[in-house]
Amino acid sequence: MPTSLKEKKQALDDAVATAKKARELDEKYKIAERSKQAALRAKELDEKYKIREKFKATVVAAQKYNEEHKVIERSKAAASLAVSKAKAVDEKHHVVDRSKEATSSAVENTRAYNEEHKVMERTKQATKDAYQKAKAFDEKHRVVERTGKKLASAAAFISKQLQDDKKSNDVNGKAATTNDANDTGSKGVNENDKAAEVTGEAPPC
């Protein structure tokens, strides 16, 4: 098969795989459905609070205010004036040059100090030593493993307690329902007895 056809087939296979993966993700996370719900919710909020209308009104008001008070023009003029003054001060006092010299001097002093006292090398070595000690301590005492087991046990205990509470609530609910039914039956019998006493007839069985 020619190379061009292979490339086309590979591109087609990649596109199919990508579409399949996208469909799986959509089915799993309901992306399209959530997007529709979000769009509907946004539309409802806009209709309720008139967001777009208020935004347009704000933009129009800002434009009108700018036209009346020349805000943008004044801001540009103020910025240009500030730049001109800063430039004049720099030309007079050589602020930029002195800042560059101070920065360069600080860098050189830091480099010289590091070369003299081996700060970087010592920092790296200290970090490496601390990591090795922590690793050795964990390998000896199995801290991470034990912590994971304790967390798993705690999660299982909490889950069991929740299940027991649910079962207890179900049993109590059923018992309450049974007691209500018994109370209702007893109440009916008592009412029949009272009716029999009034009429002088035997209560129905």
Side-chain angles (χ1 to χ4, degrees):
M1 184 181 293
T3 305
S4 59
L5 293 178
K6 286 184 178 179
E7 292 176 352
K8 289 180 180 179
K9 185 177 182 302
Q10 183 62 41
L12 181 61
D13 292 341
D14 292 342
V16 172
T18 301
K20 182 179 179 181
K21 184 62 176 178
R23 186 168 57 254
E24 291 176 354
L25 290 173
D26 180 63
E27 291 176 353
K28 183 176 182 180
Y29 298 104
K30 309 295 183 183
I31 298 173
E33 181 180 347
R34 291 180 179 178
S35 298
K36 290 180 181 179
Q37 292 177 353
L40 291 174
R41 180 59 177 165
K43 184 177 180 181
E44 291 175 357
L45 290 173
D46 180 61
E47 292 175 352
K48 183 176 180 179
Y49 298 104
K50 310 296 182 183
I51 298 173
R52 285 185 296 179
E53 292 181 10
K54 291 180 180 178
F55 177 76
K56 289 180 181 178
T58 302
V59 172
V60 171
Q63 291 176 344
K64 185 177 180 181
Y65 185 85
N66 177 61
E67 291 174 356
E68 292 178 356
H69 301 280
K70 309 296 182 182
V71 177
I72 296 178
E73 293 180 10
R74 291 181 179 179
S75 298
K76 289 181 179 179
S80 178
L81 180 62
V83 171
S84 298
K85 289 185 177 180
K87 186 176 180 181
V89 171
D90 178 61
E91 289 175 352
K92 183 178 180 180
H93 300 283
H94 304 287
V95 177
V96 175
D97 292 338
R98 291 180 180 178
S99 298
K100 289 181 179 178
E101 290 176 1
T103 302
S104 177
S105 177
V107 171
E108 289 298 329
N109 290 337
T110 303
R111 184 183 296 113
Y113 185 85
N114 178 59
E115 290 177 355
E116 181 179 356
H117 298 281
K118 309 295 182 183
V119 177
M120 293 297 294
E121 293 181 11
R122 291 181 178 179
T123 302
K124 290 180 181 179
Q125 187 61 42
T127 304
K128 184 178 180 181
D129 292 343
Y131 172 76
Q132 293 296 336
K133 289 180 180 179
K135 184 178 179 182
F137 185 84
D138 180 63
E139 291 176 353
K140 181 178 181 180
H141 300 282
R142 297 186 298 174
V143 178
V144 175
E145 180 182 349
R146 292 179 178 178
T147 302
K149 288 182 178 179
K150 288 182 179 180
L151 290 175
S153 298
F157 176 78
I158 293 172
S159 177
K160 185 177 183 302
Q161 290 297 318
L162 292 174
Q163 291 178 358
D164 292 343
D165 290 343
K166 184 178 179 182
K167 290 180 180 178
S168 177
N169 290 335
D170 292 341
V171 170
N172 291 335
K174 291 180 179 179
T177 302
T178 303
N179 290 335
D180 290 342
N182 292 335
D183 291 342
T184 302
S186 299
K187 184 177 180 180
V189 171
N190 292 333
E191 290 179 352
N192 290 334
D193 291 340
K194 291 179 180 179
E197 292 175 0
V198 171
T199 59
E201 296 178 355
C205 296

